[in-house]
Amino acid sequence: MREEIKKRYRKKQLICVILGICIALILTGSIVSRRMKVVDAKVRETQEKLAGEVFRFHVLANSDSEEDQALKLKVRDAVLAYMKADMKGGTAGEPTAEDTKRWAHNHLEEIEEKAEEVIRKEGYSYGAEANVQFCHFPDKTYGDITFPEGDYEALRIVIGQGRGHNWWCVLYPNLCFMSTTCAVVSDEGKEELKEVLTDDEYEMVTATSDFKIKWFFFGGDEKEDR
């Protein structure tokens, strides 16, 4: 009789342990889910703010042929050279994001002409269309800088049918002029980013994993953005 009671007691203990583990897993999963929602919301919020601080440059090739991809890069170089020379000669001091956007809006016709000059010189009959518009970008890595997915305002040049792979950079801050190949972002470029972005925005583009971990475990700090 006593052995039977002990068996029942051990069985109840085992059931309690199993139930405790199940409850703990459910609670843990719920907490993780809530924290991930907090992280996702913060990433979206920070990306939206970041989008207002930068101005991107987007060039779409006519196709993915080697010739069209090479042409895309020549158009890119010509437009960047024109922009750099013209803005330097016409702007007092360093241009702001609004200065850069305004310049692009006011020079769309000239940008198209520069692009088409290159296209004709290379022996093609494609047209080129330039616009300033909001474009949806996936996650994009620029050296060791990563800009998260989202909508950004950009100077967009479409060559011909625009069905080829695109090329992109950041016109403001002027990371396009740091390295034409966009392989790395120099220390100078990072300093420029740091000057125009908030602490959260800068951390998100330079240390994405750390940014997400901080918001998962701590919900971020309470320091106000600059």
Side-chain angles (χ1 to χ4, degrees), residues 33 49 96 98 148 162 190 192 198:
S33 178
K49 291 180 180 177
T96 64
E98 290 307 313
K190 290 176 183 177
E192 289 207 29
T198 66

Side-chain angles (χ1 to χ4, degrees), residues 57-76 115 119 124 126-129 156-168:
F57 183 34
H58 195 204
V59 185
L60 280 77
N62 178 66
S63 75
D64 282 334
S65 71
E66 289 186 16
E67 295 80 8
D68 281 342
Q69 288 295 309
L71 177 64
K72 171 189 71 178
L73 299 181
K74 290 177 181 178
V75 168
R76 169 202 70 184
I119 293 168
Y124 298 94
Y126 309 140
E129 183 178 355
R156 190 169 189 257
I157 299 176
V158 179
I159 301 172
Q161 297 183 4
R163 294 181 178 174
H165 279 91
N166 65 80
W167 179 92
W168 75 280

Side-chain angles (χ1 to χ4, degrees), residues 176-188:
C176 289
F177 306 134
M178 297 293 179
S179 170
T180 305
T181 60
C182 291
V184 296
V185 176
S186 66
D187 290 340
E188 182 184 354

Side-chain angles (χ1 to χ4, degrees), residues 74-162:
K74 290 177 181 178
V75 168
R76 169 202 70 184
D77 291 345
V79 172
L80 285 177
Y82 167 62
M83 183 175 187
K84 186 176 183 180
D86 194 83
M87 285 194 71
K88 185 176 181 180
T91 304
E94 289 298 320
T96 64
E98 290 307 313
D99 291 333
T100 308
K101 293 174 185 179
R102 190 179 305 111
W103 182 93
H105 273 290
N106 293 337
H107 292 77
L108 291 175
E109 186 175 335
E110 293 88 342
I111 290 169
E112 288 179 354
E113 289 174 357
K114 291 292 178 183
E116 290 181 350
E117 281 178 16
V118 174
I119 293 168
R120 301 292 174 268
K121 183 179 178 181
E122 296 299 316
Y124 298 94
S125 59
Y126 309 140
E129 183 178 355
N131 287 291
V132 174
Q133 63 189 81
F134 281 92
C135 304
H136 187 81
F137 288 85
D139 287 345
K140 288 283 188 176
T141 298
Y142 182 89
D144 55 354
I145 302 291
T146 298
F147 285 83
E149 179 181 2
D151 295 327
Y152 295 83
E153 197 167 11
L155 168 60
R156 190 169 189 257
I157 299 176
V158 179
I159 301 172
Q161 297 183 4

